Amino acid sequence: VTEYEEKSPDTGEIRVRSLFSAVKHGTEFRRFQSNSSDATDRWDWDLRLHMRVEMGTRNSFPFSLGNMVYGEVEEVGDGVDGFKEGDRVFAHAKVSESHTASSTKFEHAPDGVSPEALMYTDPAGVAVGGIRDGGVRVGDRVAVFGLGAIGQMQVQVARASGARWVA
């Protein structure tokens, strides 16, 4: 837990009070627990793989957890169109009591959609993107490796895309 100063929104920004946040239980908790190579080994962007580090080396704390947030607009800065105090919104953001950021970062929460369901827009986007990029069509055979949240969604999207056999 880290203390921070809540700031008033600058031009083009809104301040949102968090009502619900989500942490990726796979990717983020592995980093937090420091018990896997993606948590303990340095990522080399050029080679696109994890590089072994000295034994005992761990991620440095503190670091932020969180992937999605749902909240209520508390304050609107000058020059912001389309948002007003009391609007329910969601965005990609860390776990925090409040967020002051560009209004373009946030989307309006659709009526009747729960905060929990909105948190699934991120992994659902990854799942749909994988199936679309893979060009899955009617009659295709598809294998999905890893049945976490994203993998389970990919199975469903592959079937909805017409795959006749999904493993």
Side-chain angles (χ1 to χ4, degrees), residues 3-30:
E3 302 261 341
Y4 67 96
E5 294 286 326
E6 280 194 10
K7 66 178 201 132
S8 292
D10 289 330
T11 300
E13 293 183 330
I14 60 176
R15 187 175 68 229
V16 173
R17 171 73 47 205
S18 297
L19 301 174
F20 191 91
S21 294
V23 175
K24 289 183 174 178
H25 76 276
T27 309
E28 288 190 280
F29 272 167
R30 283 196 309 268

Side-chain angles (χ1 to χ4, degrees), residues 127 131 136-137 140 142 144 153-166:
I131 298 300
V136 175
R137 297 179 312 272
D140 283 353
V142 174
V144 176
M153 288 179 198
Q154 283 185 312
V155 167
Q156 294 176 45
V157 174
R159 294 293 293 173
S161 296
R164 68 177 168 87
W165 182 88
V166 180

Side-chain angles (χ1 to χ4, degrees), residues 71-98:
E72 183 175 299
V73 176
E74 278 191 325
E75 190 176 346
V76 178
D78 292 334
V80 173
D81 291 323
F83 292 96
K84 64 183 183 316
E85 289 181 21
D87 283 352
R88 297 293 169 110
V89 297
F90 69 105
H92 284 91
K94 64 183 180 178
V95 174
S96 183
E97 288 185 46
S98 67

Side-chain angles (χ1 to χ4, degrees), residues 120-133:
Y120 279 99
T121 60
D122 177 64
V126 174
V128 169
I131 298 300
R132 289 188 67 185
D133 290 349

Side-chain angles (χ1 to χ4, degrees), residues 9-103:
D10 289 330
T11 300
E13 293 183 330
I14 60 176
R15 187 175 68 229
V16 173
R17 171 73 47 205
S18 297
L19 301 174
F20 191 91
S21 294
V23 175
K24 289 183 174 178
H25 76 276
T27 309
E28 288 190 280
F29 272 167
R30 283 196 309 268
R31 180 174 181 223
F32 180 74
Q33 294 167 333
S34 268
N35 62 3
S36 66
S37 64
D38 61 324
T40 58
D41 294 346
R42 182 181 61 83
W43 176 255
D44 186 303
W45 284 100
D46 294 326
L47 297 175
R48 312 257 324 134
L49 56 87
H50 289 99
M51 304 297 289
R52 295 275 180 235
V53 295
E54 292 181 28
M55 293 301 292
T57 302
R58 296 284 190 222
N59 282 322
S60 59
F61 289 90
F63 59 82
S64 299
L65 288 173
N67 182 46
M68 298 286 292
V69 65
Y70 167 86
E72 183 175 299
V73 176
E74 278 191 325
E75 190 176 346
V76 178
D78 292 334
V80 173
D81 291 323
F83 292 96
K84 64 183 183 316
E85 289 181 21
D87 283 352
R88 297 293 169 110
V89 297
F90 69 105
H92 284 91
K94 64 183 180 178
V95 174
S96 183
E97 288 185 46
S98 67
H99 298 273
T100 302
S102 171
S103 62

Side-chain angles (χ1 to χ4, degrees), residues 109-128:
D111 290 336
V113 178
S114 71
E116 295 87 350
L118 289 171
M119 300 301 107
Y120 279 99
T121 60
D122 177 64
V126 174
V128 169

